[in-house]
Amino acid sequence: MIESSTPPLASLDGYRNITDLLVARAAAAPDHVAFEVSGADATASWRPITTREFSDQVRALAKGFIARGIRAGDPIAIMAPTRYEWAVADLAAWFAGAVVVPIYETSSPSQVNAIIADAGVRLAVGGTVDHVALLDAALAQTDDETFGAWTMDAAASGTLPDLVSHGVDVTDEELEARRALATQDDPATIVYTSGTTGEPKGVVLTHRNFLGQVLNIAAAYREIVNEDGNTVIFLPLAHVLARGLQLICLASGMRIAHLSDPSTVVATLDTLRPTFLVVVPRVLQKIQAAAADKAAAMHLSGVWAKAVSTALAWGRREERIDAGRRISKDLGLTLRHRFFDALFYRRLRTVMGGRVGYILSGGAALDADLSLFFRGIGVPVIEGYGLTETTAPLTGNLPGRIASGTVGPPLPGLTVRISEEGEVLARGVGVFDGYRNPAHDEGSFVDGFFRTGDLGRLDPQGRLVLEGRLKDVIVTSNGKTIVPTRWESAVEADPLVSHAVMVGEGKPYLSALLVLDPEQTLAWATAQGTSIPAVTQPDIREVNDPALRAHLQRAVDAANALVARSEQVRRFSVVFADLEDRGLVTPTMKLKRSVVLDRAAVTVEDLYL
């Protein structure tokens, strides 16, 4: 199969632009709780915000934007951690007829300057006074008239309430006229890609892109996203996936809580008790690793290993049932699952709040066994796949039709095609029309399809199986073409490995750099009674600890057993890197392979001496 399509489930008729989603929801359920907002910190009490309250705040801020001079089509930048005010500013900009330009809160001054200049930003909203300082400095370098940077920090000057006060004389009729100006084909946002393989590009997404995705995905996942559910968003709202999720929840009545610090998520789950979570695979790996560590501390490692194998078997059984296969009764498995549910699984579900029905995993490849494990403990993981250029999800597994190891079929209104070279191509309602700079469009489209740059195949059911990045392919001196993804993903399943980077371009054999997870490595070292100093400078430093290498050798051997001899890694180096360095790691925690290889050039060369 070289092409798979899913027909749309929702019509866009009757919607002029994104703001109609909030208008319709506010009219249908004004008193329904749309958000939960915390106090000064994540442990403070959470206050409900109704759809009516949210709508009123959005309209008031939109009037402030208009009063300050924002015209239809003007870009407004938002640079802040994930928080409720981000949602208000986002929708308010659209109500004012503006185009939203999200900026990751961790962006460097040079990145902020480049985005502000390229997008032609006229006004900016920052989360803190530090963000505002960066934004003000960038705005001052532009030639156009600008209207300042305003902060979400209530203790500072130039706050959003101050901006709201400017708009008291803007009438409801003026606001409504402005809100209705944008059509489905007008730009809604310009999202700058994080640039793992090249310079960032401004992705122009239209109101039609968002409306098509929101309405169709909400229809496909109604079992999960509905008025009875709630979620916690802790992914960066500068990322299109988090913003898309927010719009889907808002339009569907699903309650949202925001967390700016992902490390506080576990502490709040018992209070918020979400029914649905969106995570990156690393979060799931850490949950599983924490459970294993706790079992080890109680001298139950052997019991835990049996619990994991039982969960995997149960997960496979559930997937066969989903596929409509006949399953014979297995009383032994049932009894083991019941026993381990009481001993381990139920406690893991409680850690996640006790009500999570599904988890959506995206942003990186999810190991099939990890997916099966969570399915086996009673929390199915829905893996999906998408890019900024596809307005987030392009494909996704569906409730009751989850196939671990795949990222599912195309979502409603979308088509996936596999080129002769194995590249994943995309077309449909969420796929953008082009970059802000037309020069970036060159080579990005073929026959009306967007070239994702990812390699993949379609299984007989039309589900996409990802097989790596086109630009990451390695050609050895023996002429062997290697796709490193499967090997790297297998090694990254070890909690100590944050990133695995296979190398070997033009070399006689394959090697690898194993980038350590500082937190997990520290915990491991403590348990081993040893000390491994973490990296304290923006470089890549080799770690030569015999016990650590012996531990990771097992992960390498296991990964080698999964691939052909020509794809096996002969030598590896263990390294620490500064994973907070945005020159090395993107805001979505993807490693910039070219930067790694450049900084670790000496270490790589040593692997071939």
Side-chain angles (χ1 to χ4, degrees):
M1 182 179 290
I2 62 169
E3 186 171 304
S4 179
S5 297
T6 302
L9 292 177
S11 170
L12 307 193
D13 294 344
Y15 292 90
R16 184 170 180 82
N17 59 50
I18 295 170
T19 63
D20 286 339
L21 295 171
L22 177 55
V23 171
R25 183 62 193 166
D31 298 320
H32 186 78
V33 176
F35 296 91
E36 289 177 298
V37 181
S38 69
D41 57 67
T43 61
S45 59
W46 291 78
R47 178 172 59 89
I49 301 288
T50 66
T51 309
R52 179 190 286 113
E53 289 178 274
F54 177 68
S55 178
D56 288 346
Q57 292 172 23
V58 165
R59 290 174 182 274
L61 182 56
K63 289 180 178 181
F65 287 148
I66 294 171
R68 283 299 298 158
I70 288 296
R71 301 167 305 201
D74 279 349
I76 292 178
I78 304 176
M79 181 183 185
T82 296
R83 54 190 290 182
Y84 171 71
E85 291 82 3
W86 218 115
V88 175
D90 201 17
L91 269 294
W94 284 326
F95 266 68
V99 176
V100 179
V101 181
I103 301 176
Y104 286 100
E105 61 154 330
T106 54
S107 297
S108 67
S110 62
Q111 290 171 323
V112 175
N113 292 343
I115 291 173
I116 294 291
D118 187 75
V121 170
R122 306 295 299 282
L123 182 149
V125 175
T128 66
V129 291
D130 290 336
H131 293 140
V132 167
L134 284 175
L135 293 165
D136 266 330
L139 289 171
Q141 296 180 37
T142 64
D143 296 329
D144 296 330
E145 181 185 13
T146 57
F147 309 115
W150 303 75
T151 179
M152 299 174 184
D153 187 348
S157 59
T159 64
L160 293 188
D162 293 333
L163 185 54
V164 167
S165 67
H166 285 279
V168 293
D169 293 329
V170 177
T171 66
D172 291 343
E173 291 74 20
E174 288 178 89
L175 176 62
E176 181 61 20
R178 180 67 70 83
R179 182 188 77 81
L181 281 177
T183 68
Q184 290 188 12
D185 294 314
D186 283 321
T189 190
I190 305 171
V191 183
Y192 285 82
T193 60
S194 50
T196 56
T197 57
E199 64 173 305
K201 302 173 183 177
V203 180
V204 181
L205 300 175
T206 65
H207 287 268
R208 182 185 300 277
N209 291 143
F210 273 110
L211 284 169
Q213 290 287 68
V214 168
L215 296 173
N216 278 288
I217 292 172
Y221 292 94
R222 203 171 303 282
E223 176 184 337
I224 300 173
V225 184
N226 52 58
E227 289 187 346
D228 298 324
N230 67 302
T231 191
V232 180
I233 296 179
F234 54 91
L235 299 177
L237 278 170
H239 193 285
V240 71
L241 174 60
R243 287 173 77 203
L245 171 65
Q246 183 164 261
L247 287 171
I248 292 167
C249 292
L250 183 61
S252 304
M254 190 171 194
R255 196 166 73 251
I256 302 169
H258 298 98
L259 286 176
S260 59
D261 183 359
S263 68
T264 65
V265 172
V266 173
T268 61
L269 293 181
D270 188 48
T271 300
L272 296 170
R273 303 191 69 217
T275 60
F276 174 62
L277 285 174
V278 177
V279 302
V280 293
R282 195 66 181 160
V283 172
L284 301 180
Q285 290 173 349
K286 288 190 174 185
I287 291 174
Q288 188 187 52
D293 290 343
K294 192 167 185 178
M298 299 170 66
H299 306 289
L300 293 174
S301 292
V303 180
W304 170 252
K306 293 178 181 178
V308 171
S309 63
T310 298
L312 292 174
W314 194 266
R316 293 187 191 97
R317 175 182 180 275
E318 293 294 300
E319 287 203 353
R320 288 196 294 269
I321 292 173
D322 280 354
R325 298 177 187 172
R326 181 176 296 178
I327 303 298
S328 59
K329 291 184 179 180
D330 187 336
L331 182 59
L333 177 60
T334 300
L335 292 175
R336 290 196 304 276
H337 187 269
R338 189 176 300 166
F339 171 75
F340 288 125
D341 187 71
L343 188 61
F344 292 121
Y345 307 157
R346 192 179 304 162
R347 297 182 186 186
L348 278 174
R349 295 196 299 271
T350 299
V351 166
M352 292 181 276
R355 291 207 315 151
V356 174
Y358 289 92
I359 291 175
L360 172 66
S361 175
L366 175 68
D367 180 73
D369 279 356
L370 193 61
S371 174
L372 288 168
F373 170 79
F374 277 89
R375 179 73 182 269
I377 71 168
V379 186
V381 179
I382 294 173
E383 189 175 8
Y385 160 74
L387 304 92
T388 302
E389 290 88 344
T390 62
T391 321
L394 172 63
T395 69
N397 282 291
L398 297 170
R401 283 176 280 170
I402 297 173
S404 298
T406 83
V407 291
L411 290 170
L414 293 162
T415 298
V416 167
R417 175 184 290 180
I418 307 299
S419 74
E420 291 183 2
E421 295 74 27
E423 184 178 8
V424 179
L425 310 177
R427 184 176 65 186
V429 69
V431 181
F432 81 139
D433 290 329
Y435 295 101
R436 176 171 172 78
N437 182 350
H440 290 149
D441 291 340
E442 186 176 351
S444 297
F445 296 87
V446 58
D447 298 331
F449 282 79
F450 170 63
R451 299 183 59 192
T452 67
D454 289 309
L455 296 170
R457 59 182 172 83
L458 293 168
D459 72 7
Q461 287 71 44
R463 295 175 300 220
L464 179 62
V465 179
L466 293 175
E467 298 183 324
R469 288 286 297 171
L470 191 62
K471 291 184 178 180
D472 291 344
V473 169
I474 296 169
V475 181
T476 66
S477 61
N478 302 318
K480 295 287 186 180
T481 299
I482 309 298
V483 179
T485 304
R486 189 182 186 196
W487 188 93
E488 290 174 346
S489 297
V491 176
E492 287 169 359
D494 188 294
L496 301 191
V497 182
S498 179
H499 302 279
V501 181
M502 183 186 285
V503 296
E505 181 70 28
K507 302 293 185 181
Y509 57 85
L510 297 172
S511 297
L513 299 174
L514 307 188
V515 183
L516 295 169
D517 181 300
E519 182 181 333
Q520 294 293 329
T521 303
L522 176 62
W524 178 87
T526 301
Q528 297 293 315
T530 186
S531 176
I532 301 176
V535 65
T536 57
Q537 56 215 20
D539 65 356
I540 294 176
R541 178 172 57 80
E542 190 170 0
V543 178
N544 290 305
D545 182 271
L548 181 61
R549 281 194 61 88
H551 173 87
L552 293 176
Q553 182 67 59
R554 291 193 288 272
V556 169
D557 291 343
N560 280 343
L562 296 175
V563 299
R565 177 178 289 274
S566 61
E567 299 172 317
Q568 293 176 355
V569 164
R570 291 193 196 177
R571 301 183 67 188
F572 67 92
S573 288
V574 182
V575 299
F576 262 125
D578 181 4
L579 299 180
E580 299 299 320
D581 180 1
R582 287 295 167 256
L584 183 68
V585 182
T586 74
T588 53
M589 300 310 295
K590 295 185 179 73
L591 208 62
K592 298 181 179 180
R593 184 179 295 262
S594 61
V595 177
V596 172
L597 297 181
D598 180 60
R599 293 189 186 180
V602 173
T603 302
V604 171
E605 284 303 316
D606 286 346
L607 290 169
Y608 292 94
L609 294 179

